[in-house]
Amino acid sequence: MSRIKDTESISEFILVGLSSHPEDQKPLFALFLIMYLVTLGGNLLIILAIRSDPKLQNPMYFFLSILSFADICYTTVIIPKMLMNFLSETRTISYAKCLAQMYFFLVFGNIDSYLLAAMAIDRYVAICNPFHYVTVMNHRRCLLLVAFSVAFSCLHSLLHVLLVNRLTFCASKVIQHFFCDVNPVLKLACSSTSVNEIVAMTEGMASVMAPCICIVISYLRILIAVFNIPSVAGKCKAFSTCSSHLTVVTLFYGSIGYAYFHPLSRYTVNDRVATIIYTVLTSMLNPFIYSLRNKDMKRGLEKLISRIKAQIDMLPTIRANKIHGS
């Protein structure tokens, strides 16, 4: 098999997508367009509700608003190009755009991971140390947690993209995936990917496991504290504040673990399904999980929707006043 000697000479890759059957493309386009619009709408509503309701101005909802913004960016990195490919016969992506997509996908994926850890810490302090909650989870500390999440994610992603950029590739440029994920791109390399795999299984695993361990420890401490609460009502209330977050964490880390933490040689089509769960499905479901299982969030959304409806109802009156005024 011929080899492309210089990565700079690579002009483009070809993305296989989710299906190679022509009859599947339009239904898949419609499905993922709906999912993308729901993701955008749901997460924007969460952000607006939190920003507009004074009762939602606390660390837990601050992290949730940042998580919703990260989810919008996360899906926007992947789905628009994916939708274009459903309606295109070529399905190509330039080498530079492929690396850019890989970089931002890793950035926002890691930001999501560290924000989930920050939210677990927030729940731990709120339940186990409620009298010091305001001082421990102050605004400055919350900003520092977000800043660390963004800075570390950018550096982590840059490392992996630079390692991919040093590889040489075979004549086959067909990526067996619907976007430029690390493992499918590595499978096309003719040069050794041992360094990439070692880094992925060490630094990459550490970067994912660190927030995961933080979440596990936080919830173990929460569990111990909840069992010490004498009343059943108190236990139920404590668990209810954590159930939404635990649901999202299970979906996110479960699918990531399945997709990434095994040897590159074992990467199969099933990993694409797992990738859809933590990239598209989790981002779409987050607003529903947090709003349907959280009374404060539900109340905030109802207030926001009521204000939007009131403004829409006022539009005919405003137009009529403008016409009469002119």
Side-chain angles (χ1 to χ4, degrees):
M1 186 177 287
S2 63
R3 176 181 293 191
I4 298 170
K5 294 182 180 180
D6 185 0
T7 55
E8 290 183 358
S9 66
I10 297 173
S11 59
E12 61 186 21
F13 289 111
I14 299 168
L15 295 164
V16 169
L18 292 174
S19 173
S20 57
H21 302 294
E23 65 272 15
D24 294 338
Q25 304 311 307
K26 288 184 179 178
L28 284 171
F29 173 85
L31 174 64
F32 280 92
L33 177 62
I34 292 168
M35 292 175 74
Y36 183 52
L37 293 175
V38 171
T39 301
L40 292 182
N43 283 291
L44 278 172
L45 280 174
I46 291 286
I47 294 168
L48 291 173
I50 291 169
R51 296 300 180 198
S52 61
D53 192 341
K55 292 184 178 180
L56 298 179
Q57 303 303 309
N58 63 49
M60 177 174 135
Y61 297 111
F62 168 73
F63 290 130
L64 179 56
S65 66
I66 304 296
L67 180 69
S68 292
F69 175 75
D71 280 341
I72 289 172
C73 297
Y74 198 31
T75 51
T76 301
V77 168
I78 300 168
I79 296 185
K81 177 62 179 174
M82 187 180 176
L83 292 173
M84 288 171 60
N85 287 344
F86 283 137
L87 303 179
S88 172
E89 293 182 3
T90 56
R91 300 184 185 180
T92 58
I93 184 169
S94 70
Y95 177 75
K97 287 181 180 178
C98 183
L99 290 187
Q101 188 182 55
M102 185 187 297
Y103 174 76
F104 286 108
F105 163 74
L106 291 172
V107 166
F108 291 112
N110 276 274
I111 288 173
D112 265 14
S113 180
Y114 279 88
L115 284 172
L116 289 172
M119 293 169 79
I121 294 169
D122 174 78
R123 290 299 82 208
Y124 160 70
V125 177
I127 293 170
C128 300
N129 200 3
F131 297 111
H132 295 93
Y133 179 74
V134 176
T135 54
V136 174
M137 298 302 296
N138 58 59
H139 187 63
R140 180 176 174 275
R141 194 159 290 165
C142 292
L143 287 175
L144 284 173
L145 283 170
V146 172
F148 170 79
S149 301
V150 174
F152 180 84
S153 299
C154 290
L155 292 172
H156 163 83
S157 305
L158 183 62
L159 170 64
H160 286 272
V161 170
L162 289 175
L163 287 173
V164 170
N165 192 46
R166 58 181 278 279
L167 299 173
T168 54
F169 291 87
C170 299
S172 175
K173 295 180 286 183
V174 179
I175 299 174
Q176 299 292 329
H177 212 353
F178 56 88
F179 73 102
C180 289
D181 200 359
V182 178
N183 283 346
V185 173
L186 289 181
K187 289 197 80 170
L188 301 182
C190 285
S191 56
S192 174
T193 60
S194 58
V195 175
N196 301 69
E197 292 186 61
I198 290 168
V199 171
M201 295 302 290
T202 54
E203 187 276 341
M205 184 175 284
S207 69
V208 173
M209 290 307 295
C212 188
I213 290 169
C214 180
I215 291 168
V216 170
I217 293 172
S218 296
Y219 275 105
L220 284 175
R221 298 288 296 273
I222 288 170
L223 198 62
I224 293 167
V226 168
F227 279 130
N228 289 328
I229 297 173
S231 68
V232 176
K235 289 178 181 178
C236 292
K237 185 178 180 181
F239 276 125
S240 68
T241 64
C242 303
S243 57
S244 302
H245 184 251
L246 274 173
T247 305
V248 173
V249 165
T250 303
L251 277 172
F252 186 78
Y253 281 104
S255 52
I256 282 182
Y258 181 85
Y260 288 102
F261 296 125
H262 53 66
L264 183 61
S265 58
R266 288 173 52 197
Y267 189 86
T268 64
V269 69
N270 291 333
D271 296 302
R272 276 186 260 174
V273 177
T275 307
I276 290 172
I277 293 172
Y278 75 83
T279 55
V280 182
L281 195 62
T282 303
S283 297
M284 184 186 74
L285 293 177
N286 278 359
F288 297 100
I289 293 169
Y290 280 106
S291 59
L292 293 176
R293 300 179 68 89
N294 187 301
K295 292 180 181 178
D296 292 334
M297 195 69 246
K298 194 184 294 185
R299 189 197 64 249
L301 284 169
E302 287 171 355
K303 285 183 180 179
L304 176 66
I305 292 168
S306 297
R307 280 197 294 270
I308 293 171
K309 284 181 178 178
Q311 289 176 358
I312 292 171
D313 291 339
M314 287 176 65
L315 284 177
T317 306
I318 293 169
R319 286 173 185 166
N321 290 336
K322 283 184 178 179
I323 292 169
H324 291 306
S326 61

